[in-house]
Amino acid sequence: MSGCKSPSGRRLLVAGVVLTAALLTALAVHSLWASLRAPSSGMTQPASDYTPQGAATLTSGTAHDVVILTISAPVTGTTAVDVRLVPRHGAATSGSSPVVTVSAVLPTAGHAVPDFTAVRTPDDHYHLTGLPLMMPGSWEFLVAIDGNGRHDRLVFPLTVSY
């Protein structure tokens, strides 16, 4: 059985193993970071006027639509919010436009923002400009879509910072 018997040889071997482990860990972290920053292969969203730099965009869905919620400034203070309804399977929406309301709740602190009705824009987004977020924490943004026989409710969790 061969082995490293001298103390300096053992130190050199341990240093090599530690260095190799550190390099492999750094490579794995870099690969994970790159994959998280790369665009997903799922549904893509064209750039719009409602996606400012630093905005948070969250996606969910109902039986009728994919729902894209964009929070302009996910920090304490007042922020603009945009809701985009993308019909599933390319189906055109029928009937009148639904009413979209947005509110927010910070369950850990007992704070809640009342429902705000979003204004429908010419490009079929629903927009509101003044949603107040009074403190940092794990907020839940609540989106309600009502009309044409539908009553959908979605919850979008988002951590808000200072």
Side-chain angles (χ1 to χ4, degrees):
M1 180 165 142
S2 67
C4 204
K5 304 270 185 208
S6 70
S8 64
R10 280 190 207 131
R11 278 187 235 123
L12 186 60
L13 180 62
V14 168
V17 168
V18 168
L19 182 60
T20 302
L23 287 172
L24 289 173
T25 301
L27 182 60
V29 168
H30 176 72
S31 296
L32 178 62
W33 178 254
S35 70
L36 291 174
R37 294 191 60 185
S40 68
S41 60
M43 187 185 91
T44 59
Q45 169 185 343
S48 78
D49 295 337
Y50 302 112
T51 310
Q53 187 163 353
T57 299
L58 306 165
T59 305
S60 186
T62 68
H64 301 96
D65 301 296
V66 173
V67 180
I68 302 165
L69 175 72
T70 301
I71 309 298
S72 294
V75 296
T76 57
T78 302
T79 187
V81 176
D82 180 66
V83 178
R84 180 174 174 212
L85 306 178
V86 180
R88 290 199 182 272
H89 312 294
T93 56
S94 60
S96 62
S97 297
V99 174
V100 175
T101 58
V102 179
S103 62
V105 175
L106 181 59
T108 57
H111 292 305
V113 174
D115 290 345
F116 285 87
T117 302
V119 177
R120 185 169 184 236
T121 64
D123 57 354
D124 290 329
H125 286 246
Y126 294 83
H127 192 73
L128 62 98
T129 57
L131 188 73
L133 304 172
M134 41 300 259
M135 66 184 295
S138 297
W139 285 84
E140 294 177 354
F141 292 84
L142 312 168
V143 175
I145 306 164
D146 291 302
N148 297 329
R150 63 190 278 189
H151 304 286
D152 297 323
R153 305 289 181 264
L154 298 108
V155 177
F156 295 87
L158 180 66
T159 300
V160 170
S161 61
Y162 285 105

